[in-house]
Amino acid sequence: MTVRTLMIDVDGVVIRHPDGLRWDHAIEADLGVDPARFQSAFFAVHWPDVMAGRAGLHERLALALPEFAPHLTPQALTDYWFSRDAHLDQGFLDQLAALNGRYGLHLATVQEHLRAAYLWNGLGLKDHFEAIHYAADYGCGKPDPTFFDAVAARTGHAPHELLLIDDSARNVEAARACGWRAGLWEGTHNVADVIAEALGR
């Protein structure tokens, strides 16, 4: 059974902070935002709807910002967020390029609409991948089986023709349960080895 397309996760795989830091590690010093309050006021309350495309990021930030950062606009916060969460792992991208077109290269990622567009256009991932499959566009994300089934249907591939590379063991197991091949990316092996292991070679 031949794998035709690699489905690559973004955060933790294509994007990795060189020092292993979170994108918001300096947000309090830079913007006067308490990360814990940001988490509780926005991510814990609004992120599920934003991620699934049921609400807009700026729309929900406008509701939450008065609770933890009334001095900021949604645009100012997302500009900071996106620019700080943008460390492309060039070594990883070079390893994909070294596969010499043996596989199609797509992204499969949990993103809302604005960051997905930023990743694709602003960071230029469109120059490295053929397509991006993301949560807000499908109304669900990894590890929901619905996401994997919908991505397979959109590509026209059988599940076994898709191979996910992801830094989450939970997502890897979910992909396998849906009939995909999948390999865990920990940054300690090269891409070819992860693919070979996922294929049982």
Side-chain angles (χ1 to χ4, degrees), residues 85-198:
D85 204 7
H87 297 276
L88 292 178
D89 187 336
Q90 190 59 50
F92 179 83
L93 293 174
D94 289 345
Q95 289 183 52
L96 291 182
L99 297 173
N100 295 318
R102 278 180 278 170
Y103 307 99
L105 299 177
H106 291 208
L107 296 171
T109 178
V110 177
Q111 307 291 338
E112 52 74 45
H113 293 298
L114 294 182
R115 187 161 182 256
Y118 173 79
L119 294 168
W120 193 245
N121 297 303
L123 283 188
L125 291 182
K126 65 182 180 180
D127 299 327
H128 300 274
F129 297 90
E130 299 167 33
I132 180 171
H133 306 275
Y134 66 96
D137 190 39
Y138 283 87
C140 58
K142 298 174 293 184
D144 188 336
T146 304
F147 177 80
F148 296 105
D149 293 343
V151 170
R154 184 173 294 184
T155 63
H157 294 338
H160 68 264
E161 295 177 316
L162 301 173
L163 193 157
L164 175 70
I165 297 178
D166 201 295
D167 68 326
S168 164
R170 184 182 181 196
N171 291 341
V172 166
E173 291 304 318
R176 289 172 178 164
C178 291
W180 291 32
R181 312 294 186 86
L184 183 65
W185 181 254
E186 298 176 305
T188 55
H189 297 86
N190 63 43
V191 170
D193 288 343
V194 172
I195 293 171
E197 183 176 353

Side-chain angles (χ1 to χ4, degrees), residues 3-112:
V3 167
R4 296 176 60 186
T5 296
L6 303 183
M7 291 286 175
I8 311 296
D9 182 36
V10 173
D11 296 302
V13 181
V14 175
I15 290 181
R16 291 166 62 92
H17 194 288
D19 299 317
L21 300 173
R22 289 173 50 90
W23 71 266
D24 61 354
H25 72 277
I27 196 170
E28 191 156 19
D30 292 342
L31 296 183
V33 172
D34 179 345
R37 292 187 65 194
F38 186 10
Q39 176 67 36
S40 62
F42 174 71
F43 285 104
V45 177
H46 299 287
W47 184 245
D49 284 340
V50 173
M51 180 274 292
R54 295 188 294 268
L57 177 58
H58 283 177
E59 167 198 340
R60 291 301 183 90
L61 278 173
L63 295 177
L65 279 169
E67 298 183 43
F68 67 93
H71 57 292
L72 292 177
T73 64
Q75 188 67 56
L77 184 54
T78 53
D79 285 348
Y80 179 88
W81 172 0
F82 294 177
S83 66
R84 296 308 188 277
D85 204 7
H87 297 276
L88 292 178
D89 187 336
Q90 190 59 50
F92 179 83
L93 293 174
D94 289 345
Q95 289 183 52
L96 291 182
L99 297 173
N100 295 318
R102 278 180 278 170
Y103 307 99
L105 299 177
H106 291 208
L107 296 171
T109 178
V110 177
Q111 307 291 338
E112 52 74 45

